[in-house]
Amino acid sequence: MARQSTGVPGLDALLGGGLIPGTLTVVVGATGIGKTQLGLQYAHAGAAQEGRRGVVFDCSARGDSQSHAEYARRMFGWDLSPQDAEKQIDVEQFFAEQNNVILHDYLHLFDYRGRRVTRRDLDWDDWRNWQAELNARLRAAIAFLYGNFTRGVRRVVMDGIEPTDRPSDSIQFNLLEYVYHQVLRKDPEWVARDLLREAYRRHADEAAAHTYDPAAIGCLLLYTSHETLLDDLLSRRLDEGDLLANANTLLLMGKVRTGDRIGRGLYIAKHRGSACDERIVPYGIDERGLRIQ
C-alpha cells in the first residue's frame, strides 16, 4: 500500500514506510512538545509527494498558541493563506471561483475567546450559543475542505482540541468527528450535496467533474493532553468512542527522564495494518522541525 511521508526525518522508517492514506492518525502530547511542527512537516511533505501541500484546519478558541503561520514561515518559507470563516459561500459561483482563485490552506473556524469552551466551563446559554455558532460555520468548513480536495490536496492537519476529562464535553471533538466522517470520508458527490444544498441539481455536472478519492486523503489530528510525561500518556485509558481509540495510528509525544536530564520521547502506540517500531525513540526540534535522534 502506498504510504504518505510524515516529513519527519527518521519517522517514516519507524512507521513501516509512513502513514496509511484514508485513515486517521492522532498525535497526543502536551503544549510545547512539538505537535504543531510535526503537523506542518506532514502537510508540507504533500508538495513533494502529491504535488500539493496539505491544509490546516484549526478549531482552537483560547488563543493562537499553536503559531501555525509563524512556524510554517520559519520552517519552510511557507506563507499560510487563511480562508475567512465568516464569508458567505456563494454556491452559484463556487466552482467558477475554484478554477480561478488561489487556494486557501488555513482555516481558523472560531474567533479567539481567551477561554475554554468545554461544556463544564460554560453555562447552558453560552453552550447553546457556542453550538449555534458552530452550526453557522460548518458550511465554511465543508467549502474549505471540499474545495481543496477537488484541486488535489490529499492531507489535512486538524488542530485546536483543548484537553478535557471527557470527549463528550468538548465541542471541538464533536466538530472534528463530524468533519472527519461527513467530509473527509464521504463520497464527494454527497459532500457537494451538503455544500450546495438546494442548488445542487443546477451544478450536478460541475460537481461530477470535480471528484476525488476519499481513500487517498490522510488526516493528522493534533490533540493537546493534560499529561506532559510520556509514561503518563502510556498509562492513559482510552474512552470508548474516543477519536484516540478509533484512530488507525496513535503517536504519543512526551517528556522522558534519562538520569538527571529531561528529554523528549515518541512512542508509536498503535499503527494498524503495518509493522512498526515499538521502542520509545528520542527526538529533537530544530529550525526545520522534528528529527528522530
Side-chain angles (χ1 to χ4, degrees):
M1 182 181 295
R3 301 296 181 97
Q4 287 185 330
S5 172
T6 61
V8 177
L11 183 53
D12 291 346
L14 300 177
L15 290 164
L19 299 176
I20 301 174
T23 67
L24 173 65
T25 297
V26 179
V27 182
V28 184
T31 298
I33 203 67
K35 300 187 305 298
T36 298
Q37 290 96 324
L38 190 156
L40 290 172
Q41 285 172 269
Y42 168 73
H44 180 72
Q49 195 166 3
E50 295 102 35
R52 294 277 194 186
R53 290 188 179 108
V55 297
V56 178
F57 184 88
D58 181 8
C59 61
S60 62
R62 296 188 71 184
D64 191 13
S65 59
Q66 289 84 10
S67 303
H68 301 104
E70 177 188 345
Y71 283 137
R73 189 177 302 113
R74 188 170 66 207
M75 292 164 61
F76 305 114
W78 171 16
D79 290 320
L80 291 173
S81 174
Q83 176 170 311
D84 186 354
E86 296 185 1
K87 181 180 179 181
Q88 293 295 316
I89 306 300
D90 185 350
V91 295
E92 299 297 341
Q93 296 298 317
F94 180 80
F95 290 109
E97 291 180 352
Q98 288 300 105
N99 293 330
N100 295 307
V101 302
I102 298 174
L103 274 178
H104 298 294
D105 49 21
Y106 176 81
L107 177 64
H108 179 231
L109 204 58
F110 304 120
D111 295 331
Y112 290 128
R113 306 295 179 86
R115 60 182 297 191
R116 289 169 59 88
V117 292
T118 63
R119 186 185 297 271
R120 293 186 179 186
D121 296 303
L122 302 178
D123 61 28
W124 190 87
D125 287 336
D126 285 341
W127 180 253
R128 296 289 295 178
N129 290 338
W130 182 249
Q131 289 179 312
E133 181 176 346
L134 169 62
N135 291 334
R137 299 195 179 189
L138 272 179
R139 204 171 197 181
I142 297 171
F144 171 72
L145 294 168
Y146 176 72
N148 274 285
F149 295 157
T150 61
R151 294 176 66 179
V153 170
R154 294 295 177 264
R155 300 173 184 231
V156 180
V157 176
M158 294 182 170
D159 201 357
I161 296 183
E162 299 167 3
T164 181
D165 294 330
R166 295 187 304 176
S168 59
D169 284 342
S170 169
I171 203 165
Q172 280 99 349
F173 258 118
N174 296 335
L175 165 64
L176 295 182
E177 283 195 316
Y178 174 87
V179 167
Y180 183 77
H181 294 294
Q182 300 300 321
V183 183
L184 270 68
R185 297 292 164 244
K186 203 170 185 177
D187 184 280
E189 177 187 345
W190 288 97
V191 179
R193 288 176 182 270
D194 290 341
L195 173 65
L196 303 176
R197 300 176 185 172
E198 66 278 359
Y200 174 77
R201 289 190 177 184
R202 295 195 296 275
H203 299 280
D205 290 341
E206 292 172 287
H210 291 76
T211 190
Y212 54 88
D213 181 8
I217 296 171
C219 179
L220 192 72
L221 172 63
L222 309 180
Y223 174 68
T224 301
S225 65
H226 290 296
E227 301 87 348
T228 59
L229 295 177
L230 186 56
D231 282 347
D232 292 337
L233 287 173
L234 289 169
S235 62
R236 173 181 178 151
R237 181 178 64 86
L238 299 181
D239 292 331
E240 191 67 29
D242 192 332
L243 275 176
L244 277 65
N246 294 329
N248 184 84
T249 304
L250 179 60
L251 305 180
L252 306 179
M253 300 171 62
K255 294 182 178 180
V256 294
R257 182 187 296 274
T258 304
D260 61 351
R261 295 180 180 273
I262 297 292
R264 296 183 178 94
L266 182 146
Y267 179 70
I268 304 169
K270 179 169 56 174
H271 192 40
R272 294 188 184 124
S274 176
C276 63
D277 198 299
E278 295 186 353
R279 295 172 298 162
I280 293 175
V281 293
Y283 67 91
I285 301 176
D286 59 24
E287 70 278 359
R288 299 289 291 177
L290 266 70
R291 294 183 183 276
I292 301 298
Q293 294 175 348

